[in-house]
Amino acid sequence: MTNIDVKGLTAHQARQLLDSKHVSSMELTQAFLDRISAVEASTKAFVTVTGDLALEQARQADERIASGKAGPLTGIPMQLKDNMSTKGVRTTCSSRMLEDFVPPYDATVTRKLFEQDAVLIGKGNLDEFAMGSSTENSAFFPTHNPWDLDRVPGGSSGGPAAAVAASECVYSLGSDTGGSIRQPASLCGVVGLKPTYGLVSRYGLIAFASSLDQIGPLTNDVTDTALVLNAIAGRDPRDSTSVDHDIPNYTAALTGDIKGLRVGIPKEYFVEGIEPGVEKAVQDAIQVLEDLGAEVSETSLPSTPYAMAVYYIVAPSEASANLARYDGVKYGYSTSAPGSMWDALEKTRQEGFGPEVKRRIMIGTYALSAGFYEAWYRKALQVRTLIRREFDEVFQKFDVLVSPTSPSVAFPLGDKTDDPYMMYLNDVFTQPANIAGIPAISVPAGMSEGLPVGLQFMASHLQEEKLLRTAHAYEQATDWHTLQPQL
Amino acid sequence: MALTNEDVQHIALLARVGMADEEIEVMRDQLSNILAHFEVLQQADTEGVEPRAHSADVTSVMRDDEIGECLPIEDALANAPQRDGDYVRVRAVLD
């Protein structure tokens, strides 16, 4: 057995090690389980580690490799955010409500990865029901940023981002409703893609806000993003909102050539409140794009200042409906307090949901209630039309847009937990892509105060090839993605 | 947008989320503060703009009503807090 250095190991590097028989999947998987044993007490990136399952899947993967039938992801250890259903493996949403829930079926993404011989090494921590920007809303424990354990990893996919950054898995899948893949990717110095709404099936993803939720990969580099997207994208009859679209080979889009690419800088994304270190890193990145031959110019998306209000009306409204299913009857937490059916319903939800989930259910219920629907929910949907329209217009003139992913680097644990509104401001640059349904990616683009800065690219609907080509060209011209935390 | 305790109690009833008195106070202040920030929406000119509930251009999807793969009863009941034979047990609905 070779000594395997798992730090920063990508899927394409792991593929070479496995195919050349330098290591077996069993050895590779054990090396990651050892890494988890070494650092998990510091990061707390996992709700559940599935060691036995992983080693069994690795054994089967080794047989596939031996028979010459390995695919790009065969035998490579990965993590899933703990809001994606895994048959027979507890799926909690980091909520007391689902603490003991064992799904009777696999999410479509789970099934697709398993069909391609992926190795599930565990389930990643998240803000309860994916509601949050720091993973401090997990009902179990907060996750810590591998770059500075006293800071948050971002959220809600903080477990996935921290697990990839700390090399506890090769890649992970997150979900992104308002930035929940990109913002933690930014704060942990990894790559995070939110695909076009509907490109990846949501079947088996525990619903938060159904018109905004989308699954995507968190990886060490853009080449891995393309590999994982190849594996999970595509129409699914079990998700009627999944798009009927011929899935290209995203890896083939990574040509490194962005000469003549029209890059727009939306001025509304460069406003007061951005940390100077973040702004500098993004300006440097724009220079890199120009040096690569891109044509960069400023543009405008005037409705951007409304995006956060739209998001925090629409997402809680949908959540209040989606989370009505947690009634303590069919599955999930059920109160032991005495009383009638109605009493038990209220008690179950009082005891089973954490404060942020309750807040959002309340906001959504209010926005949808008689007398307020027109002024809040309907108004938000009208502004949503304006936001979508402005993106459509801007993408007539530009191939991609560039912005910071987050206005700040990772902040200290506990810093923003007292003021929900301050916490909401973290996603101000990421929410518009969800509102419009367009794809967006965050890539490492520098360091500020010793912490990673993320750069966001956005593209028009189903333009993932263009988006990944741009992100990859930028990545190859820099070495930010190769930096590793001291852990 | 200042909510009263009664507003919060009403919303909590609609949402079927039980709340202790001190929770109601905290929720009243937090929701009022959050909603005040969202007042900005009223400044947007949406005269004649159609609302959009979805980002994608989705349409209703129809399929034939055919029996497909079903969840076995044991699997469907495995997570039930209380069961009685092949049924989920619930509390009395009528007083």
Side-chain angles (χ1 to χ4, degrees):
Chain A
M1 165 161 173
T2 347
N3 209 5
I4 309 165
D5 183 10
V6 298
K7 277 189 116 180
L9 187 72
T10 65
H12 54 94
Q13 289 165 345
R15 181 83 270 123
Q16 288 188 341
L17 293 175
L18 291 165
D19 286 351
S20 63
K21 311 287 194 296
H22 273 82
V23 295
S24 67
S25 175
M26 290 277 278
E27 290 164 344
L28 185 67
T29 301
Q30 189 57 56
F32 275 96
L33 289 170
D34 292 346
R35 174 73 179 165
I36 289 171
S37 298
V39 302
E40 181 57 17
S42 304
T43 60
K44 310 286 275 177
F46 286 77
V47 175
T48 305
V49 176
T50 51
D52 292 345
L53 172 68
L55 288 168
E56 172 55 22
Q57 287 180 328
R59 192 188 59 74
Q60 292 175 18
D62 281 330
E63 286 175 10
R64 297 283 291 181
I65 295 165
S67 65
K69 289 178 188 155
L73 299 177
T74 297
I76 297 174
M78 58 88 184
Q79 184 207 54
L80 295 171
K81 188 178 182 179
D82 207 20
N83 59 352
M84 293 171 209
S85 292
T86 42
K87 185 176 181 176
V89 176
R90 187 171 83 117
T91 300
T92 68
C93 263
S94 290
S95 178
R96 295 279 170 226
M97 194 59 97
L98 292 173
E99 190 166 5
D100 302 313
F101 177 68
V102 179
Y105 61 88
D106 280 329
T108 293
V109 289
T110 309
R111 179 179 57 78
K112 283 194 167 202
L113 289 176
F114 284 177
E115 283 172 2
Q116 295 175 59
D117 317 309
V119 171
L120 177 68
I121 204 159
K123 306 292 295 287
N125 196 21
L126 63 150
D127 285 297
E128 183 178 5
F129 281 100
M131 298 177 187
S133 311
S134 69
T135 316
E136 291 166 294
N137 294 334
S138 166
F140 308 137
F141 42 77
T143 296
H144 300 251
N145 192 312
W147 291 87
D148 178 347
L149 296 172
D150 294 327
R151 289 173 187 265
V152 303
S156 65
S157 308
V164 173
S167 304
E168 295 179 78
C169 58
V170 177
Y171 65 94
S172 184
L173 292 189
S175 62
D176 189 315
T177 306
S180 279
I181 290 172
R182 292 160 285 156
Q183 186 257 10
S186 172
L187 270 49
C188 289
V190 301
V191 179
L193 169 73
K194 183 202 88 72
T196 300
Y197 179 82
L199 186 66
V200 178
S201 169
R202 291 181 294 111
Y203 179 75
L205 170 70
I206 297 175
F208 162 14
S210 303
S211 82
L212 302 163
D213 296 343
Q214 184 59 197
I215 294 173
L218 292 105
T219 58
N220 278 306
D221 68 10
V222 178
T223 302
D224 275 11
T225 308
L227 285 172
V228 178
L229 189 61
N230 284 338
I232 62 174
R235 166 87 186 146
D236 178 11
R238 287 176 153 150
D239 173 3
S240 64
T241 61
S242 64
V243 292
D244 206 358
H245 173 67
D246 287 331
I247 303 302
N249 178 356
Y250 293 107
T251 309
L254 311 181
T255 61
D257 180 12
I258 56 164
K259 276 195 195 66
L261 186 90
R262 300 164 302 167
V263 176
I265 303 172
K267 63 180 183 193
E268 291 81 6
Y269 286 67
F270 293 82
V271 290
E272 219 180 311
I274 301 180
E275 288 178 359
V278 171
E279 177 142 25
K280 162 118 188 17
V282 173
Q283 296 299 351
D284 290 350
I286 290 168
Q287 185 59 52
V288 170
L289 296 171
E290 285 186 320
D291 293 346
L292 289 167
E295 295 167 13
V296 182
S297 57
E298 191 179 90
T299 185
S300 175
L301 293 158
S303 293
T304 303
Y306 303 125
M308 200 179 82
V310 171
Y311 177 80
Y312 277 104
I313 299 294
V314 172
S317 294
E318 295 183 17
S320 72
N322 273 328
L323 272 61
R325 73 191 66 179
Y326 299 103
D327 54 11
V329 173
K330 302 178 290 297
Y331 51 82
Y333 177 79
S334 189
T335 186
S336 53
S340 71
M341 184 201 75
W342 291 112
D343 296 336
L345 182 53
E346 291 187 358
K347 269 279 178 214
T348 290
R349 293 161 67 79
Q350 179 176 7
E351 295 164 3
F353 290 136
E356 181 61 26
V357 174
K358 287 181 194 169
R359 250 187 314 271
R360 301 221 190 168
I361 290 174
M362 293 288 286
I363 294 172
T365 303
Y366 171 76
L368 292 174
S369 65
F372 300 100
Y373 173 89
E374 294 280 328
W376 291 104
Y377 185 66
R378 193 169 188 281
K379 182 77 179 182
L381 294 190
Q382 287 177 305
V383 180
R384 184 178 195 172
T385 302
L386 294 179
I387 290 170
R388 161 84 195 247
R389 212 181 266 170
E390 287 171 11
F391 273 118
D392 286 349
E393 283 164 13
V394 162
F395 283 124
Q396 299 287 316
K397 289 176 282 186
F398 293 96
D399 297 300
V400 297
L401 302 176
V402 63
S403 79
T405 305
S406 170
S408 73
V409 294
F411 46 90
L413 284 152
D415 218 26
K416 301 185 181 181
T417 42
D418 289 340
D419 186 347
Y421 185 76
M422 282 300 293
M423 191 68 92
Y424 291 177
L425 290 170
N426 283 297
D427 296 328
V428 60
F429 299 144
T430 47
Q431 289 157 353
N434 300 79
I435 292 168
I438 59 172
I441 190 169
S442 179
V443 292
M447 299 292 286
S448 171
E449 303 163 44
L451 296 162
V453 175
L455 179 72
Q456 176 175 247
F457 294 106
M458 295 177 272
S460 190
H461 293 87
L462 297 171
Q463 296 299 308
E464 272 78 3
E465 289 169 278
K466 217 182 266 180
L467 186 71
L468 293 175
R469 182 183 304 130
T470 310
H472 175 257
Y474 169 77
E475 175 187 87
Q476 294 307 302
T478 59
D479 54 10
W480 301 114
H481 65 291
T482 63
L483 298 183
Q484 295 294 318
Q486 298 294 319
L487 189 73
Chain B
M1 190 67 235
L3 298 179
T4 64
N5 285 2
E6 289 69 35
D7 292 334
V8 174
Q9 278 163 337
H10 176 64
I11 304 164
L13 176 70
L14 293 176
R16 300 290 172 193
V17 177
M19 256 178 226
D21 288 348
E22 58 274 20
E23 276 184 283
I24 289 171
E25 305 254 315
V26 172
M27 195 64 81
R28 180 197 64 203
D29 294 345
Q30 289 179 338
L31 292 191
S32 297
N33 179 41
I34 291 164
L35 289 169
H37 283 101
F38 297 167
E39 295 272 0
V40 64
L41 263 192
Q42 307 309 327
Q43 294 168 18
D45 180 5
T46 52
E47 186 68 37
V49 177
E50 282 297 308
R52 189 178 188 107
H54 232 274
S55 59
D57 299 307
V58 288
T59 48
S60 287
V61 179
M62 306 295 282
R63 67 168 172 81
D64 294 331
D65 186 16
E66 289 169 351
I67 296 173
E69 199 188 330
C70 294
L71 206 55
I73 290 173
E74 277 308 313
D75 290 2
L77 287 171
N79 284 289
Q82 289 193 68
R83 68 180 281 187
D84 190 345
D86 281 350
Y87 297 92
V88 170
R89 188 167 189 91
V90 298
R91 299 196 189 201
V93 177
L94 301 171
D95 290 325

